[in-house]
Amino acid sequence: PEKARLVESARLAEQAERYDDMVENMKKVIEVENGNDERNLLSVAFKNVVGARRSSWRVISSIKQKEEEEKKVKLSEAYLTRIANEIEEICIDVVNLIDTSLLCRDDLDVESKTFYMKMKGDYYRYVAEVSPQDSKSGFADKANKAYDEAYTLCKAEMPASHPIRLGLALNYSVFYYEILAECSAARTIAQKAFDDAIQSIDELPPNTYKDSTLIMQLLRDNITLWSSDMEDDDDDSAQQQKAD
């Protein structure tokens, strides 16, 4: 009864868009119950809590880049630091919860392990996005390690068209593009995931078909975008060589 009450309270908080309350309810639930519904509710709660702050950070960062008055630039920088600290605090809370209460459980299946290791990679990536250069690489290394462990596990145990595996490939490739600035590696990860999934798409059960095909569309969009970026870079390089 207590678990049911907490889940219902979390759903109510979600409808009211009170995601901090949703997080607190789901943190209590996930310690005793670790099914798909509970796992997804926890993910939604944290994603919205940190997502609002990531959006705020991007808005202020954009404003700062356009400012010319020194006083306003400093004000923007101070605000960015405050938001970045909030993002880091939330993300480290997520990672600690995953390490101390979730990944250590003996009853986790491959899907859950992959899901939570991907989640670790995501939240380390979010910190890296907003960290100064001297600490960015440390969080990037931790994100890379979590993503790599998750990807190694799921490639051995899960079909290529599984939505969790595809979602991991999507986020891992975005990490390479946005954090490591390695466009070619990002495109390679996305292309391999897309090509492998295409071969087994007809074997998908009806309840996951929609999720998988949606992620595949996102992968294809990114492949197109990154291929265009690489062509532009090649053109710029060729022009530079001619100039040299």
Side-chain angles (χ1 to χ4, degrees):
E2 177 64 10
K3 177 252 180 179
R5 184 190 69 79
L6 289 168
V7 169
E8 191 58 37
S9 295
R11 295 188 188 279
L12 194 61
E14 180 182 13
Q15 292 174 0
E17 297 184 2
R18 290 179 58 87
Y19 298 108
D20 290 305
D21 293 343
M22 188 181 180
V23 162
E24 291 308 312
N25 283 307
M26 290 313 303
K27 284 169 71 174
K28 295 173 183 175
V29 171
I30 209 72
E31 291 178 357
V32 295
E33 185 88 22
N34 190 35
N36 287 349
D37 288 342
E38 292 79 14
R39 185 182 69 200
N40 290 333
L41 281 171
L42 179 75
S43 177
V44 167
F46 272 118
K47 188 173 183 178
N48 279 281
V49 167
V50 79
R53 290 165 173 83
R54 291 174 70 209
S55 178
S56 297
W57 191 91
R58 287 192 289 266
V59 168
I60 301 302
S61 181
S62 178
I63 291 172
K64 172 180 171 283
Q65 291 174 6
K66 297 174 184 176
E67 288 290 358
E68 297 180 357
E69 187 178 334
E70 184 178 356
K71 183 178 179 180
K72 292 183 178 180
V73 170
K74 289 184 177 180
L75 181 63
S76 297
E77 288 175 344
Y79 206 15
L80 283 173
T81 299
R82 175 183 170 183
I83 298 170
N85 288 340
E86 291 178 5
I87 291 172
E88 181 175 346
E89 182 179 352
I90 294 166
C91 291
I92 296 306
D93 185 31
V94 176
V95 170
N96 288 339
L97 176 67
I98 291 170
D99 282 339
T100 60
S101 300
L102 299 171
L103 283 178
C104 59
R105 296 176 62 144
D106 295 329
D107 59 345
L108 284 187
D109 57 18
V110 172
E111 286 188 16
S112 294
K113 287 181 180 178
T114 302
F115 185 92
Y116 288 129
M117 285 191 287
K118 168 189 169 293
M119 207 170 162
K120 276 184 67 174
D122 289 341
Y123 283 84
Y124 276 132
R125 170 165 61 92
Y126 300 155
V127 183
E129 284 177 346
V130 301
S131 294
Q133 200 60 42
D134 59 345
S135 57
K136 179 178 180 177
S137 60
F139 288 113
D141 288 344
K142 291 177 180 179
N144 199 5
K145 183 175 184 293
Y147 281 135
D148 183 63
E149 289 179 359
Y151 209 36
T152 299
L153 174 65
C154 75
K155 285 193 294 184
E157 302 287 344
M158 297 167 67
S161 54
H162 193 290
I164 292 178
R165 176 170 166 175
L166 283 170
L168 170 60
L170 176 67
N171 289 16
Y172 198 11
S173 62
V174 168
F175 165 77
Y176 263 91
Y177 182 79
E178 294 186 347
I179 304 300
L180 301 184
E182 295 184 20
C183 185
S184 179
R187 189 182 68 167
T188 297
I189 292 171
Q191 187 71 63
K192 181 72 165 61
F194 183 87
D195 292 344
D196 289 347
I198 279 288
Q199 297 179 20
S200 59
I201 193 69
D202 293 335
E203 302 172 8
L204 277 173
N207 62 323
T208 61
Y209 184 87
K210 183 178 179 180
D211 289 340
S212 292
T213 52
L214 175 61
I215 299 170
M216 289 175 69
Q217 180 62 56
L218 295 173
L219 284 166
R220 187 163 62 179
D221 290 345
N222 283 348
I223 291 165
T224 301
L225 174 65
W226 298 337
S227 296
S228 177
D229 285 352
M230 291 175 67
E231 288 174 3
D232 291 342
D233 289 342
D234 288 343
D235 290 343
D236 290 343
S237 177
Q239 291 297 326
Q240 183 63 42
Q241 288 175 12
K242 290 178 182 178
D244 292 342

